[in-house]
Amino acid sequence: MSFALLFSGQGNQHPAMLPWLADDAVVRDMRARLGVADWRGALADPAWAERNDNAQTLLTGLALAAWKQLAPLVAPPAAIAGYSVGELAAFSAAGVLEAGPTLALAQQRAEAMDACAAQAPGGLLAVTGLSGPRLEQLCVDTGLALAIRNGPESVILGGPSAALGQAERIASLEGAQCTRLRVNVASHTPWMREAADRFARALESVSFHAPQVALFSNAADRIRDAAAARHALAAQIATTVRWDECMDNVMARHIHCVLEIGPGQALARMWNQRYPTVPARACDEFRSAAAVAAWLTRHADR
């Protein structure tokens, strides 16, 4: 069986996500940390759902629980990667971190980023349809930074709110498709440098292990040991997420299918557009863990 796991980032969380997920010990730990009895009910409030501290803790906990409940039903994956905050769950799934410390780190990561955002409010803007040189010039003209690179003409820009508005107006007039993301921090840009440094200090006291499977980072390509894992988790907060390269690295493992763990199907769609011969599905599409496992087994055993 040869498949890859991709762990989603934030922005697509919704009350009906992962309908098959059981309320296990990891979910209960997450609920306790968030102070909510019903996480689906909490997600029904957009103001609560879009708060960075709530979203990062919730998505990390749900991803950890989802993989814990799926893992006994399938063989180990051949490769793992996570998108933005999804790296925390990805590193845990690869054996780098235990679930409890990973949830605590999600809270610390969000706190560090929110502290930066309080000093320099900002956000993220998805832009599709502009060439590489034009995107570079747009960043120069507006003062924004490249936060995430999904493909040659599909990126996410980050920076102050006013600059995001300016970039959206310019890019839209040039025929680009623009979408403001449901986040209130300029993740993966230089505006998060203090957050990256603060998180690096938090990671020093946490026990890390070498990955047990091929693990790829947004900021440092393949992670082979504990030191590299610790560095990568902090660095990606303030540097560009090279998701296109992550996908290429995963594909190089000769996998037969891909499973996205988290809300929505954004990563599965990107994968299917880039590699149409290797199918990808999202856990959010299934009604039971058994159905997820059956799909994985059917395609990964080809």
Side-chain angles (χ1 to χ4, degrees), residues 53-68:
D53 53 348
N54 291 336
Q56 293 203 30
T57 303
L58 177 110
L59 294 176
T60 301
L62 295 182
L64 291 171
W67 177 237
K68 180 183 176 183

Side-chain angles (χ1 to χ4, degrees), residues 28 56 137 159 237 289:
R28 290 191 292 273
Q56 293 203 30
Q137 188 59 49
I237 291 176

